[in-house]
Amino acid sequence: MTRVFVTQVPARLAEGVWTPTVDLQPARDHGEIIILLPSGVGFATPDEPLAALRGKLADFNVKRDFLLPMGDPMLMVIAAALLAPRFRLLRWDRRAHKYYPTIINVA
């Protein structure tokens, strides 16, 4: 089964509860949603999330799965770097209100 690895769901803190600010339903059209790191978690250095992301992306299938970069920009960059040189990404189209698969190949 195809999976969509979301780096972190953007959220807003209201009354002590993190509430998502985006709807992931359109991404579900491309596979099962896997949230890599929880909303609201901040990191002082890249070393902290690096180990967590490395472990969670260990079984990412570059021919089948997608990365959906969201949330903390540092997390998005680390996830992409771990998957390089080639991976599949979902890119949002504001006009069509849906995600399009994109192949990233930096080799």
Side-chain angles (χ1 to χ4, degrees):
M1 174 181 210
T2 301
R3 297 168 299 170
V4 177
F5 288 79
V6 180
T7 49
Q8 185 181 48
V9 179
R12 165 181 317 122
L13 184 62
E15 298 180 20
V17 177
W18 288 100
T19 304
T21 58
V22 297
D23 179 12
L24 291 177
Q25 190 58 42
R28 293 183 203 291
D29 292 342
H30 298 278
E32 175 189 2
I33 302 293
I34 308 291
I35 307 297
L36 296 175
L37 293 170
S39 299
V41 176
F43 301 97
T45 69
D47 297 333
E48 297 172 64
L50 180 60
L53 289 172
R54 183 175 279 133
K56 292 184 177 191
L57 289 169
D59 67 341
F60 185 96
N61 184 319
V62 297
K63 293 182 180 178
R64 183 187 68 212
D65 297 330
F66 292 100
L67 177 65
L68 179 50
M70 292 184 156
D72 185 328
M74 181 173 69
L75 301 178
M76 292 186 272
V77 170
I78 292 170
L82 289 170
L83 297 175
R86 182 180 166 86
F87 59 94
R88 297 180 347 146
L89 176 118
L90 289 180
R91 185 177 50 87
W92 180 250
D93 183 315
R94 290 181 186 153
R95 290 186 181 147
H97 292 100
K98 66 181 191 174
Y99 288 100
Y100 286 100
T102 304
I103 295 173
I104 304 297
N105 188 355
V106 295

